[in-house]
């Protein structure tokens, strides 16, 4: 029940109709729509899965007329100036569960007052910063760093110092995966020896750096692919640093031989606690 | 001897917890340490064996390691 509008001479107004004065006449649209005079004083509800428009034309409304707009559909609806002028201090795009009020100042001009809900800005392209934290102790767990937002991640270690070995494993909701599913391939060269290569299958972690004595490093570039997706997560790491009087460089890659969705990155320092260093994680935009 | 420490950083909330490892974490950490030690020993053993094999070949050839490097250079 809604209050009749416009009310005309000799029309009978019932008590229930009058009591419904706070209940706006509503009209639901599932496709793009152009406002008509019947929408004055009422609410237009958009409910469409895809994008739609609400068009405002001139000579339909009068100064003082108001139209409420709400969008309950997944598709963004955009208040669009047809032949009339529409001014607004905010966005004209109305996301799902957003809305606003269109107030006419003349037959050819309206002001749109959007609610505080606005269409989310598209994700930035390129690398997006997720988090940074200081490394400390014998193990650093970074939880909730992987999500559906990104497929690929870049992890940068800076100015780290530790006992010589940095291992990595993944985890889900705070629980590290310690299964024997980690495969590693590594090439290592230092200034005191020729290069060495090696591999490990069915290990309980990935090896980022494996050095016989304490290391200091200024760079460790780690790429992690698809940790959150239920596919085999892969990694590649390029590390460079010093160990005593020697300098070293290593290239490693590997995969987890199980299709598990991970949310956490776990760093383990089994040959001695990390005494300094930070680790920053970035997500690579999908588009 | 102090108990190894673990730091847990929640990238969503920014919460940081640093504490002693619990029994399960400690057991895994000790297993990680043992694994690294075993790996290092295996690599050292393999390297030593390779050096012995190299020296045997050098002795057969009657040249030194430096002379071999010169030949290969």
């Amino acid at each position: 029940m809604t209050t009749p509008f416009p009310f005309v001479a000799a029309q009978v107004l019932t008590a229930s109709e009058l009591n419904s004065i706070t209940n706006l006449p509503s009209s639901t649209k599932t496709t793009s729509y152009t406002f008509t005079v019947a929408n004055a004083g009422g609410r237009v509800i958009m409910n469409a899965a895809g994008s739609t428009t609400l068009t405002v034309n001139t000579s339909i409304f009068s100064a003082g007329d108001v139209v409420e707009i709400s969008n309950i559909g997944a598709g963004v609806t955009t208040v669009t100036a047809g032949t009339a002028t529409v001014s607004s201090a905010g966005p004209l795009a109305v996301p799902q569960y957003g809305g606003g009020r269109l107030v006419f100042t003349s037959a050819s001009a309206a002001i749109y007052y959007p609610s505080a809900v606005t269409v989310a800005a598209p994700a930035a392209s390129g690398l997006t910063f997720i988090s940074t934290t200081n490394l400390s102790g014998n193990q650093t767990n970074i939880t909730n760093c992987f999500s559906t937002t990104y497929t690929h991640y870049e992890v940068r270690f800076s100015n780290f110092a530790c006992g010589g070995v940095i291992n990595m494993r993944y985890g889900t909701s705070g629980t590290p995966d310690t299964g024997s599913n980690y495969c590693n391939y590594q090439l290592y060269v230092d200034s005191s020896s020729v290069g060495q290569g090696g591999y490990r299958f069915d290990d309980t972690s990935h090896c980022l750096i494996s050095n016989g004595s304490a290391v200091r490093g200024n760079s460790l570039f780690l790429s992690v692919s698809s940790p959150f997706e239920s596919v085999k997560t892969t990694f590649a790491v390029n590390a460079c640093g010093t160990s005593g009087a020697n300098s070293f460089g290593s290239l490693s890659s590997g995969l987890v031989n199980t299709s598990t969705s991970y949310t956490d990155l776990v760093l383990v320092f089994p040959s001695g606690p990390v005494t300094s260093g930070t680790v920053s994680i970035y997500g690579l935009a999908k588009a | 001897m102090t108990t190894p420490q673990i730091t847990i950083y929640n990238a969503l909330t920014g919460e940081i917890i640093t504490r002693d490892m619990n029994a399960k974490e400690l057991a895994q950490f000790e297993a990680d340490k043992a694994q690294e030690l075993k790996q290092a020993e295996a690599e050292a053993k393999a390297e030593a064996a390779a050096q012995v094999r190299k020296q045997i070949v050098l002795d057969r050839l009657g040249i030194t390691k430096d002379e071999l490097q010169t030949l290969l250079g």
Side-chain angles (χ1 to χ4, degrees):
Chain A
M1 178 70 69
T2 55
T3 307
F5 181 84
F7 197 72
V8 296
Q11 187 174 348
V12 176
L13 179 64
T14 66
S16 59
E17 287 174 338
L18 181 59
N19 290 335
S20 292
I21 198 166
T22 58
N23 188 356
L24 283 182
S26 296
S27 175
T28 299
K29 309 296 178 189
T30 57
T31 59
S32 293
Y33 177 70
T34 300
F35 290 113
T36 68
V37 69
N39 302 125
R43 174 178 288 121
V44 173
I45 301 170
M46 298 304 291
N47 186 7
S51 299
T52 55
T53 57
L54 281 171
T55 302
V56 186
N57 285 336
T58 191
S59 301
I60 306 295
F61 300 97
S62 305
D65 280 349
V66 175
V67 180
E68 295 285 340
I69 296 169
S70 68
N71 181 18
I72 62 172
V76 171
T77 191
T78 303
V79 179
T80 306
T83 54
T85 302
V86 177
S87 305
S88 181
L92 295 173
V94 186
Q96 187 177 32
Y97 306 127
R101 174 176 292 175
L102 197 58
V103 179
F104 286 83
T105 55
S106 73
S108 60
I111 300 172
Y112 178 62
Y113 298 94
S115 66
V117 179
T118 57
V119 176
S125 59
L127 289 176
T128 302
F129 174 76
I130 296 174
S131 73
T132 191
T133 187
N134 293 324
L135 297 167
S136 70
N138 298 84
Q139 184 170 324
T140 297
N141 294 7
I142 304 168
T143 61
N144 298 311
C145 57
F146 302 135
S147 70
T148 187
T149 306
Y150 306 104
T151 302
H152 306 292
Y153 296 82
E154 292 293 318
V155 184
R156 297 297 172 99
F157 291 63
S158 301
N159 301 316
F160 58 91
C162 65
V165 176
I166 301 177
N167 287 345
M168 173 183 77
R169 52 174 62 104
Y170 305 106
T172 305
S173 302
T175 302
D177 181 353
T178 56
S180 301
N181 298 309
Y182 296 84
C183 303
N184 298 281
Y185 313 92
Q186 187 173 44
L187 292 173
Y188 175 90
V189 179
D190 71 29
S191 55
S192 70
S193 69
V194 295
Q196 302 168 39
Y199 62 88
R200 294 189 204 175
F201 291 146
D202 303 329
D203 212 344
T204 57
S205 64
H206 285 317
C207 182
L208 301 184
I209 289 181
S210 178
N211 198 297
S213 54
V215 298
R216 297 192 66 84
N218 287 323
S219 67
L220 193 156
F221 306 143
L222 167 66
S223 298
V224 180
S225 294
S226 309
F228 190 78
E229 297 175 6
S230 295
V231 297
K232 293 178 180 178
T233 300
T234 60
F235 86 98
V237 65
N238 179 349
C240 186
T242 58
S243 177
N246 296 324
S247 58
F248 71 91
S250 70
L251 296 171
S252 306
S253 61
L255 59 84
V256 184
N257 201 19
T258 181
S259 299
T260 303
S261 173
Y262 296 114
T263 56
D264 310 339
L265 182 69
V266 176
L267 301 166
V268 185
F269 312 99
S271 58
V274 65
T275 53
S276 69
T278 59
V279 59
S280 300
I281 302 177
Y282 303 82
L284 193 61
K286 291 181 178 177
Chain B
M1 190 175 122
T2 57
T3 304
Q5 296 268 295
I6 183 171
T7 296
I8 301 169
Y9 173 73
N10 188 326
L12 267 187
T13 64
E15 182 185 30
I16 301 173
I17 298 169
T18 298
R19 57 168 170 75
D20 289 350
M21 288 184 178
N22 61 32
K24 187 179 177 185
E25 291 159 349
L26 193 56
Q28 183 61 52
F29 182 68
E30 293 300 333
D32 289 343
K33 277 172 63 176
Q35 168 71 19
E36 283 308 318
L37 194 60
K38 188 178 166 186
Q39 183 75 19
E41 286 173 354
E43 286 171 1
K45 196 173 171 182
E47 175 65 17
Q51 290 299 328
V52 169
R53 288 197 302 273
K54 276 183 191 171
Q55 192 57 51
I56 290 170
V57 174
L58 289 173
D59 291 345
R60 276 190 204 151
L61 294 172
I63 59 174
T64 66
K65 193 174 175 182
D66 289 342
E67 288 168 338
L68 176 65
Q69 287 295 336
T70 303
L71 285 174
L72 295 175

